[in-house]
Amino acid sequence: MSARQVFIQMKKRILARHGQILRVGDVSQVLAESDREQIESLPISRFGPEEGNRAVVELMDVVRIIQGEFPDLDIRTVGHPQVLIELKKNGPQPRWIAVAAVWLLMFVGAGLAIMNFHADVSMKEVHERIYYLMTGRHHSRPLILQIPYSLGMGLGMVLFFNHLFKRKFNEEPSPLELEVFMYQESIDQYVIDHEKTKGQKRSHVPSG
C-alpha cells in the first residue's frame, strides 16, 4: 500500500505577535488527502522577544515536525525553503501634521532638483532659441513654450509613475513599486542569510 501524500508549500513572509505559537498552517500551505487540519495545527515554535523583530523558519524543520507525528506520510515540498517571520507592530498612527511636513519637504526638494537640472542644461536659453527659430523674434519669456512644457512634464511624471493619488491607470508596476519590491527582496534575503549565520554559530557553541 502506497504512503499517503502531502504537499507543503512555505509562505514567503508572515506577520506574528510576540508570544504567538506558530503552527504548520501559519507558515505553509498544506495539501493532503486526509488529516490536513491535524497537520496544520502542529506547533512549530513560539515567537518570543529573544527572536527580535524577525525570525526564519526552515522548511526542513517543518518536515521534521510533520514526520515526527505522521511517520507514514509521503511529504512533497514545493516553493521557498524558508519563511520570513516579522513582528506585527501596533504603533501609533502618524499625525497629519507630520505627514504634511514630510510631503512639503519632499515637494520642495523635488522642485529644487528640477530647477537645478534646468539651470544646468540652460533650459531657459533653449526655449528662447526655439521661440526665435519658430517666430523669428527674440523673447525673454516665451510662455507659449514654457507653460505647455511645464504641464507636459507634470503629466509625464504621472504617467511614468502610473499613479494619481490612489488611482492606477493600469496593472503594470511603476518604477517606484519595482524599486521598493527589489529593496524588500534584498532585505528579506539579508535577514534570511543573517538568521542562518546566527543559527550556525549557536549550533557550534559547545554546551556546558
Side-chain angles (χ1 to χ4, degrees), residues 28-118:
S28 66
Q29 294 180 342
V30 180
L31 179 61
E33 299 174 359
S34 60
D35 300 324
R36 183 175 65 86
E37 293 183 358
Q38 290 83 348
I39 295 173
E40 290 181 339
S41 63
L42 292 176
I44 298 175
S45 64
R46 181 185 294 271
F47 189 58
E50 67 278 0
E51 300 289 347
N53 293 329
R54 292 181 176 90
V56 175
V57 173
E58 296 289 339
L59 173 60
M60 296 305 296
D61 295 333
V62 176
V63 171
R64 190 178 301 110
I65 291 172
I66 297 175
Q67 285 182 336
E69 295 292 331
F70 300 91
D72 59 331
L73 289 181
D74 179 16
I75 302 176
R76 308 292 180 90
T77 62
V78 294
H80 302 284
Q82 63 271 316
V83 58
L84 179 63
I85 305 166
E86 295 185 65
L87 172 64
K88 184 184 295 185
K89 298 180 179 179
N90 297 321
Q93 295 294 328
R95 299 182 179 179
W96 67 268
I97 297 179
V99 174
V102 172
W103 179 86
L104 181 62
L105 182 63
M106 295 181 64
F107 179 80
V108 173
L112 289 175
I114 295 174
M115 292 169 62
N116 289 333
F117 167 76
H118 286 165

Side-chain angles (χ1 to χ4, degrees), residues 84-150:
L84 179 63
I85 305 166
E86 295 185 65
L87 172 64
K88 184 184 295 185
K89 298 180 179 179
N90 297 321
Q93 295 294 328
R95 299 182 179 179
W96 67 268
I97 297 179
V99 174
V102 172
W103 179 86
L104 181 62
L105 182 63
M106 295 181 64
F107 179 80
V108 173
L112 289 175
I114 295 174
M115 292 169 62
N116 289 333
F117 167 76
H118 286 165
D120 290 339
V121 299
S122 302
M123 185 62 69
K124 181 176 182 298
E125 288 76 7
V126 171
H127 283 171
E128 292 176 1
R129 181 63 177 172
I130 294 175
Y131 184 83
Y132 172 75
L133 294 176
M134 294 175 61
T135 64
R137 293 180 297 173
H138 290 283
H139 200 298
S140 60
R141 299 180 62 187
L143 299 181
I144 194 172
L145 294 177
Q146 294 175 343
I147 293 176
Y149 172 79
S150 300

